[in-house]
Amino acid sequence: MFGLLRVVVWVSAVGFILFAVYQAQRGEQWQPLMQNAFIVIAAVVVVEGLSSLFFGGSTGATPTASPR
């Protein structure tokens, strides 16, 4: 479920960026679109970071006892 949500959010961010480039080529307003893309990407990064911090991530940094 969350994997699908991540894909949808990243695709929408890429769509914002591509549409902003299209708008810039036509000489129209592109700054609000890039701001929206930045907000979407920042939200994904924050949510990913907080979820890995609180719910554990697959970083492989599992503490183990040192052999003696």
Side-chain angles (χ1 to χ4, degrees):
M1 175 69 180
F2 289 114
L4 179 64
L5 184 60
R6 276 188 216 127
V7 169
V8 168
V9 169
W10 281 111
V11 167
S12 66
V14 170
F16 272 127
I17 292 169
L18 292 176
F19 190 64
V21 169
Y22 173 73
Q23 290 289 92
Q25 288 175 345
R26 293 181 59 208
E28 297 182 18
Q29 288 290 331
W30 57 271
Q31 292 91 352
L33 296 169
M34 286 304 291
Q35 183 178 6
N36 288 341
F38 175 75
I39 290 170
V40 167
I41 292 171
V44 169
V45 170
V46 167
V47 168
E48 289 287 325
L50 289 177
S51 66
S52 69
L53 179 68
F54 288 113
F55 301 120
S58 58
T59 60
T62 309
T64 57
S66 60
R68 292 187 178 205

